[in-house]
Amino acid sequence: DRPELERGIDVDTGLEVCERLRAAVPGSAFACETVAGISLESGFIERYPLPPETPRGSLSEIYRRPALKILARHEELTPQAYWDLAEDAIGDDVEIVWSSSSTLLEISGRGVTKASTLEGWAASHGIEAHDVVAFGDMPNDLPMLTWAGRSFAVANAHDDVLAAATDHAPANDDDGVAQVLEGLLR
């Protein structure tokens, strides 16, 4: 019923990162995710319907509190091309990943990854990395898969994920995670 941990991107840093990305890659549009919900820049094209009351406006109008995640979308580039350009433009002030087949980047605070969050949670429960099994399919999973003691990439995963994981599972459509878990829990 409440967040256990919030590691947001402060407004000044977030706005600066967005400005640098937009200058380097014209056509970039942004959305901000906060504990209160999502808000969209006017040029951000949503892929799934959002409630009509979803805040929309200019970046400075929608980004008024620390964002847990900034979403950056480009309608003309491939995900890999956009990620490469974004990393060059932004540097290491934030973490940039993607997890969809569309050109949508997810920008989190510096050091905020699935791995760092899982590592912190596991440590608070006395669990060490070698006791963790993780599953993934997209580049946003890479830090977590390399941190976990045992990692599975589903068969239809991104090539980088397939290369990084210690093991492979059947595809998502074949209930790959469930199949592996059944085997591990026997």
Side-chain angles (χ1 to χ4, degrees):
D1 63 346
R2 63 177 171 71
E4 286 188 32
L5 175 65
E6 292 181 44
R7 298 187 293 169
I9 307 167
D10 68 83
V11 174
D12 291 339
T13 300
L15 288 172
E16 180 184 332
V17 162
C18 293
E19 288 172 16
R20 285 195 314 229
L21 181 53
R22 193 184 323 268
V25 190
S28 295
F30 302 96
C32 297
E33 292 183 358
T34 68
V35 172
I38 189 168
S39 54
L40 308 177
E41 189 176 34
S42 300
F44 189 92
I45 298 174
E46 61 194 79
R47 295 295 191 265
Y48 303 100
L50 293 172
E53 66 274 7
T54 300
R56 299 166 194 274
S58 69
L59 188 59
S60 61
E61 291 170 335
I62 66 164
Y63 199 161
R64 295 182 177 265
R65 63 173 63 164
L68 300 175
K69 190 182 292 184
I70 300 169
L71 304 176
R73 183 179 297 289
H74 201 283
E75 298 300 327
E76 298 170 6
L77 297 172
T78 64
Q80 184 69 55
Y82 194 36
W83 189 19
D84 291 343
L85 291 167
E87 284 196 318
D88 288 344
I90 295 172
D92 61 359
D93 290 341
V94 291
E95 303 295 329
I96 307 168
V97 297
W98 92 81
S99 65
S100 76
S101 58
S102 70
T103 304
L104 176 71
L105 300 180
E106 301 172 21
I107 303 170
S108 301
R110 187 178 189 165
V112 178
T113 65
K114 287 184 178 185
S116 66
T117 303
L118 181 56
E119 180 179 17
W121 183 88
S124 72
H125 290 79
I127 301 168
E128 297 183 25
H130 67 267
D131 292 322
V132 175
V133 175
F135 295 85
D137 66 342
M138 291 299 287
N140 65 322
D141 299 318
L142 288 168
M144 174 184 65
L145 295 175
T146 57
W147 173 80
R150 189 164 183 199
S151 59
F152 289 85
V154 292
N156 56 322
H158 185 276
D159 288 342
D160 291 347
V161 174
L162 289 165
T166 60
D167 295 281
H168 294 157
N172 300 20
D173 292 340
D174 298 324
D175 297 325
V177 173
Q179 287 188 49
V180 170
L181 288 176
E182 283 178 345
L184 292 173
L185 296 174
R186 280 191 190 139

